Amino acid sequence: MKVSLRVNGATHEVDVTPTQTLLSVLRDQLGLTGTKYGCGEGQCGACTVLIDGLPVRSCQARASLVQDKSVSTIESLESNGRLHPLQEAFLKHEAMQCGYCTPGMIMAGVGLLASTADLTDEAIVKAMDRNVCRCGTYPRIVAAIKEAAHARA
Amino acid sequence: MPEPDIELERYELFEGPRYRFEVDRRDFLKSFSTGLLVLLVVPRDGVLSAQQESGRGGGDRDRMPADVNAWLHIGEDGAVTAFTGKVELGQNIRTSLTQAIAEELKVPIAAVTLVMADTGRTPYDQGTFGSRTTPTMNLQLRKVAAAAREVLASRAAAQWNIARDAVTVKDGRVQGSGAAQSIGFGELVKNAPLVATVSEKTVLESPKDWAVAGTAVPKINGRDIVTGRHRYTSDMTPEGLLYGRIVRPPSYGATLARVDASAAEAMPGVVVVHDGNFLGVAAPTATAAGQAALAIKAEWTAGSGASARTLFTDLKRPADGNAGSPIIAGSVDEALTRGPLKVDAEYTVAYIAHAPLEPRAAVAEWQDGRVTVWTGTQRPFGVQQELVDAFHVAPDKARVIVPDTGSAYGGKHTGDAAIEAARLARAAGKPVKLVWTREEEFAWAYFRPAGVIEIHAAAQKDGVVTAWDYHNYNSGPAAIGTPYDVANQRIVFHPAQSPLRQGSYRGLAAVANHFARESHMDEVAHAAGIDPLAFRLKNLRDDRLVAVLKAATDKFGWKANATGIGLACGVEKGGYTACCVEVRVARGAVTLVRVTVAFECGAIVNPNGLNNQVEGAIIQGLGGALFEAIGFENGRLTNGHFAQYRLPRFSDVPPIDVILLDRRDLPPAGAGETPMVGLAPAIGNAIFSATGTRLRALPLVPHGLPASTNQ
Ligand code: FES
Ligand code: FES
């Protein structure tokens, strides 16, 4: 079936199967490979994107059901060569090793920053707990999100 | 201290190529016919062999033998390109190796491009494992860069007719006396190519004078990672790409009995390959590949039926394998009878999965009988050999390129996905990408070995350990020797028939052996009624180990007789670590209150990178220590999903205090593995201190302690 998807501000007509995931459309049909596959079952968050500003696991979202919504991926954060403050904070704290979890972490973090005014460590840990970093960079990720929250304030 | 003569690398699931044919690199070298090229005779053993001057200077490309490797090139534009067979997997060596080159060559970090892990372009390398990159490759690249620096300085000095000592090298330029005598590297080699070779005389900067190495240089491709621009293997999409999918047996050891692939074959653009036990499809989209694989009707024979229930008795059954020679000192049996304190115990460790967040993936392409495979592996040249063997092609017809990879932790030594993708691509006549699903990654990769460790120890009443009788079944020989000063020792590794496919894991068996040894030392300390710290210091002679132990316990605020605290220490692969842990136990639930870890591995190459590695090792170590274990029944996994196999998450991480001891007087050693080894025993010892319950199995508390357990 044909659906029209609004991704990073552009509209795309794509041919999908009824059960096809948003993750698969983004990566395989739109070439947006910054969003990663880690488990396909909603457990790791590597595939996190924002739908209407809220973090969603794109491996669990059917592409056919997100028409009329606005999808943002990691590729949308940099604008005119300027990184999003959270991307800057990830660099500053070197909140990555292999970096495979990083796009999902950053998208989850961007969603969190947008939705929560007062970010304590506990709130960050709670909100991010479904995102896995197998390399174990969690403390640095918490520090990066806190830094971006302060920069915003 | 006696050293085991067991070949550790064997346990790295490393099978060296039987033959290594010369690869003709003349074409590749021709691309460097200008500029400065630093060469080295092929270091067959991975160790630098000094290159003799054999009349091959002067850029005479044609007389260059085929078996020469290019390590570094400086173009007429001053661009520096260096080559290494090592792989970036998140351990940050792209940055630390670049720092080493920039330091010796005196160029800015940004001037250096490091080409990594490409069998068509980089020198042979046996693999990225065993924490060998820093002690060997870092040193090698420093020598290569220093050799380049020296020929450049000498040429400039000769041009100006002054002594070599009268010039300095800085920022990619050579300076003589006065402003007039300043020339960039590129200009120096313009129209007059140079070849440098590394010799024993090549002088390196002393770590004491490091300006770039030894500092916290930011991760080199960090920007590509935070923008999602970096292309992992699984992100590659060459022109005309097909997507692969493998049809897997329902259980281990099952073989294909019958296949009906007609429905899949009828699907548009689908290629089905059935070759022996290999059954897979390639299709124009990933979705179509999945549908085609589902449409294949395959019947399999019954499999192995392996089960976790009998695992630890199975592993103790004698089996063939490379046991190596035991470590024997004094007379253990006699010392054990003498006592007077005797402590015996048996420890077990479960199989665990590496679960790298990027599952195995490969993109394979055939052209004119040559295959090129991009894949995430720790052994690019090993996978090249697997391709040579599997497809009966000459080595120069198989090329493996490893994009910076979504980690491995010892779990990506083999070329499974590479071979599968190449098989599909050959049949399809188009490039094929194969990305293993998470379930495949769990089931068809390999595990950290399970094991049983049996210890009999004796000590004097004053706490001096007199006998150490140690038997490791299957888990492996890494760090099997004790760092304590014990007069009578018998330390034996017993290979076993592992029911599951097993191989290397971060730290190899060092985690298991430290768990058993350091838990047991704790048991002996308690039997002797001595504080575990005082007890260890009494039995240690190794100054470096004592130093980390003191550093960790000081910072932690170790107190004899406090409850809920535990410690452990150890040494492996040139790294020394000590770990202190505080736990809280309430109604059976164990919470880590805090962890302090001290680590020393000689001179520190990049403090921030090292800190990241140590912290990461502790956090990954948490999983294996507390709850990770592979379940299997009837030849199938019972928990091969992220929903069932618990991984450490944000909420599992306690405050971690990392103390790094910088020993600039000692050569740097690797750091990716050893910081992990003290954690599990320190937790076990802390749980004992809190509750009086001694846990002797890893993971320690997959389901918590009995609900009635309190501190
Ligand atoms: S891939 Fe979507 S949550 Fe893991
Ligand atoms: S950096 Fe490797 S998984 Fe997070």
Side-chain angles (χ1 to χ4, degrees), chain A residues 2-87:
Chain A
K2 285 242 186 289
V3 298
S4 123
L5 291 180
R6 211 140 47 84
V7 181
N8 300 339
T11 305
H12 304 265
E13 301 290 327
V14 283
D15 210 357
V16 303
T17 62
T19 56
Q20 195 173 343
T21 64
L22 177 60
L23 175 65
S24 142
V25 174
L26 292 172
R27 288 181 54 82
D28 300 334
Q29 278 161 269
L30 302 182
L32 295 169
T33 53
T35 307
K36 306 299 180 201
Y37 165 86
C39 69
E41 56 172 355
Q43 292 288 328
C44 76
C47 63
T48 306
V49 299
L50 300 181
I51 297 183
D52 290 343
L54 296 176
V56 169
R57 277 134 214 281
S58 63
C59 73
Q60 299 299 299
R62 288 190 184 184
S64 54
L65 299 180
V66 298
Q67 298 200 71
D68 314 320
K69 297 193 199 275
S70 152
V71 179
S72 317
T73 70
I74 186 78
E75 286 87 354
S76 71
L77 291 190
E78 186 183 2
S79 80
N80 302 324
R82 282 198 47 194
L83 298 180
H84 184 282
L86 187 56
Q87 290 174 308

Side-chain angles (χ1 to χ4, degrees), chain B residues 172-191:
Chain B
R173 302 184 73 79
V174 186
Q175 322 272 345
S177 55
Q181 290 188 348
S182 169
I183 185 165
F185 289 176
E187 272 170 87
L188 257 179
V189 295
K190 202 160 268 168
N191 304 320

